[in-house]
Every structure is written in structure tokens, then in C-alpha cells.
């Protein structure tokens, strides 16, 4: 896909710098520079302190907003900017692609900010005419002085939405005391899933807890691999594990897995004892058979009497 041209008025492309310290994102105690949404922007305007950008529009729309960069230090600062699409890392963390997002165009990819100054940089998101409805999470990344700051950009393309997920690859990891599974977002909206877990065995129960929120935001089309602890698994049992996952919008999925717990050490020890007993019994039987097969020595007088038939 070709890069999208920035669709902003020429006057809006100018860097807006103010000599007063930034009010949008207060610097930390160490004086680090900050990046944050400018006040009053987006398709849901709000007061200062927006935690992220939110933009919504139909396919073909051009959506505009502004990022504020603050330099509270006494030296000039050069900040590099880019937009990037987001995805879930395998463990569920929110991550961004290493290449720029062609939907996002910045007024300036690099900004030099004087000391004690805030710079407001406009940007635009051009939604392709064939974009699928639903959430398209991304982020604006600012980098300077070996430090990178990301600001979440929540983009929703107007149209029908679907919340759906599946639970897959459920298994009991007996070696590490874990119940492992995978979640897949089959819809087109971000999901905040909750998990209910139940494990029933022949001789008792394993982990059993009602629905709890999982520490993951499941993005559309993404798969994450998660686990639940099982600190005290049974020594001997056959267990069925059931996972019920729900999320806003009516998303629901269930999956099961079975596991057999056998104390193989005790079984091996008992087998060795039994084999030892069998071997000892076989030795006794063989010894008895050898003794029974040996010829019986008859005294000489008895042999002679037996041959002549004379009475004793």
C-alpha cells in the first residue's frame, strides 16, 4: 500500500511551540520529556489528560488529531515520530509493528524542541475506502535520547461490529503445574476477556474459580497463549478441565481437556518389587524341578535282592 498523504491545511502543518512548560503531560521528577494527546482533539473531544487518541469514521474518511511533546529540560531536544499498527505479542502484551503504518501521516517526522518548550504536532489518519469495519489499534511512537514513548491510538472504522472469540490448545502442563491455553479474537473489536475455570477429577477437584478478568487486551484477529497455575495437582486421578471465557459484546467460548495423573515413581518401585518376587518364585520352582529330576541312589543290597527276588 502506498504511503498516505497528509490531508491537513497548510497552516496546521506548522509546528506550534510555546515557551511555557507543557500542561498536557507533566514532566516526571527526573525531567524526562513526554508525549501525550493534545487537549480537545479526536472525534470524542475531552478536557486535558486524554489517556490515548480515539478516532472514528467511515471508510475513506480523513481523521485529524495532535500529539503534544514536552521538553522540560534546559537543552534542546530532537524527537523522531512515527505511527505504527498494533498487535498482540504471543504472551498477550500490546506491541507495535517495526514499520510505519501507511494509514498515519505526521506533519513532521522529526521535531526539534527548544528547552522548556512544548511542541504540538498535527497528524492525520486516512482510512482506505476498502477498510474493514471495526477496531484498528495503533500507536504514535516518539523517540529521543535513547528513550521511546508510545501513545495509544484507538481507531474504529464505522460499520457492523462483531465480538467473537475461541479457546484453543487447552492442555495440562504437569511438569510446570500449569493449565495452558490459547485465545483467538475471531471478531473485529478489541476484547477484554474474563476466564472461569473448573477442574473435576474422579477423587476430587482441582482449581475452581469464578470468572475473573484476564490481564490482556485481545486485539482483532490476534492469538495469545496464556496459562493458569495449578500449584498442587493430584498424585493419582483422572481430571477434566473446563475453561469458560466471556467478553463484552456477547463473546463466549468453552473448551475442555483431560489429564491423567499417575505416581510413576511409586508404580515403578512397586513393579520392581513385584518383579523381584516373581524372579525369586521362579528360582524356587526351578530348584525344586532340578531336585525332582535327580536319580535316587539305591543301596547295593537292595539292588541285589530286587534282582534275585529273594525275601529280605
Amino acid at each position: 500500500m502506498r504511503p498516505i498523504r497528509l490531508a491537513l491545511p497548510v497552516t496546521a502543518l506548522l509546528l506550534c511551540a510555546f515557551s511555557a512548560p507543557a500542561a498536557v503531560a507533566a514532566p516526571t521528577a527526573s525531567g524526562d520529556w513526554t508525549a501525550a494527546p493534545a487537549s480537545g482533539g479526536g472525534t470524542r473531544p475531552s478536557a486535558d489528560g486524554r489517556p490515548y487518541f480515539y478516532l472514528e469514521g467511515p471508510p475513506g474518511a480523513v481523521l485529524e488529531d495532535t500529539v503534544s511533546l514536552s521538553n522540560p529540560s534546559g537543552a534542546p531536544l530532537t524527537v523522531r515520530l512515527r505511527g505504527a499498527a498494533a498487535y498482540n505479542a504471543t504472551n498477550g502484551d500490546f506491541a507495535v509493528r517495526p514499520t510505519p503504518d501507511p494509514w498515519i501521516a505526521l506533519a513532521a517526522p522529526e521535531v526539534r524542541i527548544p528547552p522548556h518548550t512544548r511542541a504540538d504536532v498535527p497528524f492525520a489518519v486516512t482510512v482506505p475506502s476498502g477498510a474493514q469495519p471495526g477496531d484498528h489499534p495503533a500507536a504514535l511512537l516518539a523517540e529521543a535520547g535513547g528513550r521511546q514513548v508510545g501513545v495509544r491510538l484507538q481507531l474504529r472504522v464505522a460499520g457492523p461490529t462483531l465480538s467473537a472469540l475461541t479457546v484453543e490448545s487447552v492442555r495440562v502442563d504437569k511438569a510446570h503445574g500449569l493449565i495452558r491455553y490459547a485465545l483467538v479474537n475471531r471478531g473485529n473489536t478489541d476484547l477484554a476477556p474474563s476466564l472461569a475455570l473448573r477442574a473435576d477429577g474422579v477423587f476430587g477437584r482441582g482449581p475452581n474459580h469464578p470468572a475473573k478478568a484476564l490481564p490482556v487486551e485481545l486485539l482483532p484477529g490476534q492469538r495469545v497463549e496464556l496459562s493458569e497455575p495449578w500449584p498442587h495437582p493430584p498424585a493419582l486421578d483422572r481430571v477434566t478441565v473446563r475453561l469458560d471465557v466471556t467478553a463484552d459484546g456477547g463473546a463466549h467460548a468453552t473448551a475442555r481437556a483431560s489429564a491423567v495423573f499417575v505416581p510413576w515413581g511409586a508404580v515403578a518401585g512397586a513393579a520392581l518389587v513385584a518383579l523381584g518376587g516373581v524372579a525369586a518364585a521362579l528360582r524356587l520352582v526351578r530348584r525344586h524341578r532340578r531336585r525332582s529330576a535327580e536319580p535316587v541312589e539305591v543301596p547295593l543290597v537292595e539292588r541285589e535282592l530286587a534282582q534275585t527276588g529273594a525275601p529280605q
Side-chain angles (χ1 to χ4, degrees):
M1 185 179 293
R2 292 180 300 175
I4 305 299
R5 293 184 179 180
L6 186 62
L8 292 173
V10 175
T11 54
L13 296 177
L14 300 177
L15 177 66
C16 302
F18 305 89
S19 5
V24 174
T28 62
S30 63
D32 287 337
W33 59 271
T34 59
S39 61
T43 52
R44 291 181 181 176
S46 61
D48 290 353
R50 285 190 296 161
Y52 56 83
F53 301 104
Y54 183 89
L55 298 171
E56 181 175 0
V62 177
L63 310 172
E64 302 173 2
D65 210 326
T66 303
V67 59
S68 284
L69 305 172
S70 169
N71 178 16
S73 72
L77 180 71
T78 299
V79 181
R80 292 173 297 279
L81 297 166
R82 71 178 176 94
Y87 69 99
N88 283 117
T90 303
N91 63 356
D93 289 346
F94 185 94
V96 294
R97 305 289 180 188
T99 55
D101 188 337
W103 293 20
I104 303 171
L106 288 143
E110 186 172 289
V111 181
R112 184 172 175 83
I113 310 173
H116 309 293
T117 301
R118 187 190 79 203
D120 289 346
V121 183
F123 68 91
V125 177
T126 302
V127 183
S129 58
Q132 295 296 317
D135 294 331
H136 297 262
L140 284 186
L141 301 177
E143 185 174 359
R147 176 169 167 261
Q148 184 170 263
V149 174
V151 184
R152 172 73 179 268
L153 194 164
Q154 183 64 35
L155 170 65
R156 172 163 287 192
V157 177
T161 58
L162 172 67
S163 297
L165 57 82
T166 56
V167 187
E168 302 176 0
S169 304
V170 182
R171 65 184 180 90
V172 178
D173 184 348
K174 294 180 281 188
H176 298 90
L178 296 171
I179 299 172
R180 299 187 183 274
Y181 61 100
L183 296 183
V184 183
N185 188 337
R186 301 292 183 182
N188 61 359
T189 63
D190 294 352
L191 298 178
S194 295
L195 170 70
L197 173 65
R198 182 185 180 95
D200 292 312
V202 177
F203 304 116
R205 269 186 193 174
N208 184 15
H209 61 69
K212 67 172 184 179
L214 295 173
V216 62
E217 178 185 2
L218 192 57
L219 305 182
Q222 298 295 299
R223 172 191 174 97
V224 300
E225 297 179 1
L226 305 173
S227 63
E228 290 293 315
W230 193 343
H232 304 293
L236 177 64
D237 207 346
R238 178 180 176 84
V239 181
T240 298
V241 177
R242 171 176 169 143
L243 282 70
D244 288 289
V245 182
T246 56
D248 292 341
H252 178 263
T254 300
R256 294 177 176 82
S258 297
V260 177
F261 293 87
V262 178
W264 292 113
V267 170
L272 289 175
V273 171
L275 288 174
V278 171
L282 289 174
R283 285 196 297 270
L284 290 175
V285 170
R286 288 171 184 166
R287 186 179 302 172
H288 178 71
R289 287 178 178 175
R290 285 198 301 269
R291 288 179 177 177
S292 300
E294 290 177 356
V296 179
E297 289 293 334
V298 181
L300 180 59
V301 175
E302 292 184 359
R303 289 203 301 269
E304 291 177 349
L305 291 174
Q307 292 172 359
T308 58
Q312 298 185 4

